[in-house]
Amino acid sequence: MRYGIFSDVHSNLEALSAVLLAYQQEHIERFFCIGDIVGYATDVHDCIALIRGLKAKIVAGNHDWGASGKFDLEHFNPNAKEALAWTGKILSQAESDFLKGLPLEHSEENFTLAHGTLDSPEEFYYLNNYDEAVRTFAVLEKQICFVGHTHRPGVFVEAEDNLFYKPLTRLELEDRKRYIVNVGSVGQPRDGDSRACFVVYDTEDRTIELKRLAYNFSATQEKILKAGLPDFLARRLGEGR
Ligand SMILES: [Fe+2]
């Protein structure tokens, strides 16, 4: 099977459309979304509808629960909070109920999905250091945990007696190792590269591959500014931060 796994779309329709088009060339059988469908950019309704249309398995991100009132906005920085308040106002009741109803984790076969860390997914901590990786591996019952949230792709590898981190490009899975794979962000990458991130997991080849894709972020930037949202949210898309 070939799985399309992505995260952190953040209402960025230009990035999502480009990624979905690219996925068409990848012969994907099933999709998985690791949360933060909304927040930051403005195409809330279209992004929710497109992702629901994929029949994807979806877990909740902090922005999904923030926009729908399930996670306190006090947890967010001022820019994020402003975008979430804006998003919350335009959500329909059905969209809000959908976001609120997203689960914190999902497991099947040899993998689990969670937005932040797996040991306390409801806190939405960033899985961006070895201590957090150790805690997630301690509760992980599968070989792989796919995460998002940091908007920076990469992989923690748990080998016999050691743990190391490496960039995610093309990963060949090995039986005796376990992995925490951060799939990066479709709609707001923060690793200094403005191109959208998406992942293809091929369960037969046993490979996990990160793809990068340039998209028309200036259209997204214009919409953010036109909506009166903070300039920084537009600027960062061009800088990948
Ligand atoms: Fe996010």
Side-chain angles (χ1 to χ4, degrees):
M1 296 278 271
R2 283 172 67 77
Y3 295 153
I5 308 180
F6 61 91
S7 191
D8 296 273
V9 169
H10 285 295
S11 304
N12 183 335
L13 180 62
E14 289 70 31
L16 179 62
S17 306
V19 164
L20 294 183
L21 201 61
Y23 266 138
Q24 285 182 9
Q25 313 301 314
E26 298 286 348
H27 311 290
I28 300 297
E29 283 140 296
R30 291 181 64 200
F31 286 98
F32 296 87
C33 171
I34 318 179
D36 278 4
I37 296 172
V38 300
Y40 294 132
T42 61
D43 282 307
V44 176
H45 312 298
D46 287 344
C47 289
I48 292 175
L50 275 172
I51 293 171
R52 294 188 78 172
L54 297 173
K55 308 262 179 276
K57 285 286 178 197
I58 310 168
V59 295
N62 50 326
H63 287 249
D64 303 318
W65 277 14
S68 58
K70 197 169 173 176
F71 189 60
D72 201 320
L73 291 191
E74 293 313 309
H75 289 102
F76 295 87
N77 69 50
N79 288 324
K81 205 188 287 181
E82 197 173 331
L84 281 174
W86 184 92
T87 302
K89 276 190 213 135
I90 67 163
L91 285 177
S92 70
Q93 191 59 48
E95 288 169 334
S96 181
D97 291 345
F98 160 71
L99 294 174
K100 224 180 271 182
L102 294 175
L104 286 168
E105 53 187 277
H106 172 80
S107 292
E108 56 183 84
E109 298 173 15
N110 65 340
F111 64 92
T112 293
L113 313 174
H115 188 66
T117 61
L118 191 59
D119 55 308
S120 44
E122 73 288 353
E123 301 287 352
F124 299 107
Y125 293 135
Y126 288 105
L127 210 170
N128 60 1
N129 60 58
Y130 283 94
D131 288 344
E132 292 293 0
V134 167
R135 283 196 277 272
T136 281
F137 275 126
V139 297
L140 177 65
E141 291 174 356
K142 306 287 185 179
Q143 188 185 17
I144 311 160
C145 187
F146 289 101
V147 300
H149 195 30
T150 67
H151 300 203
R152 294 186 177 99
V155 55
F156 286 97
V157 182
E158 183 197 62
E160 302 269 299
D161 277 345
N162 68 54
L163 177 64
F164 60 94
Y165 178 83
K166 62 178 187 173
L168 177 61
T169 48
R170 186 174 185 278
L171 182 66
E172 296 191 8
L173 299 174
E174 294 174 56
D175 279 341
R176 298 170 69 94
K177 292 180 178 166
R178 297 200 302 164
Y179 306 88
I180 297 169
V181 177
N182 191 314
V183 302
S185 168
V186 171
Q188 194 199 78
R190 293 181 193 158
D191 62 342
D193 182 340
S194 64
R195 294 176 302 162
C197 301
F198 62 104
V199 156
V200 176
Y201 172 27
D202 190 314
T203 61
E204 265 145 53
D205 288 357
R206 306 188 70 220
T207 57
I208 294 171
E209 199 169 350
L210 176 74
K211 315 261 182 180
R212 298 302 291 252
L213 186 67
Y215 72 96
N216 178 17
F217 58 74
S218 55
T220 320
Q221 289 174 318
E222 273 171 40
K223 292 178 190 175
I224 289 171
L225 296 174
K226 203 170 155 209
L229 292 173
D231 293 7
F232 173 65
L233 297 181
R235 215 163 50 237
R236 69 190 308 177
L237 294 181
E239 298 165 359
R241 69 180 175 113

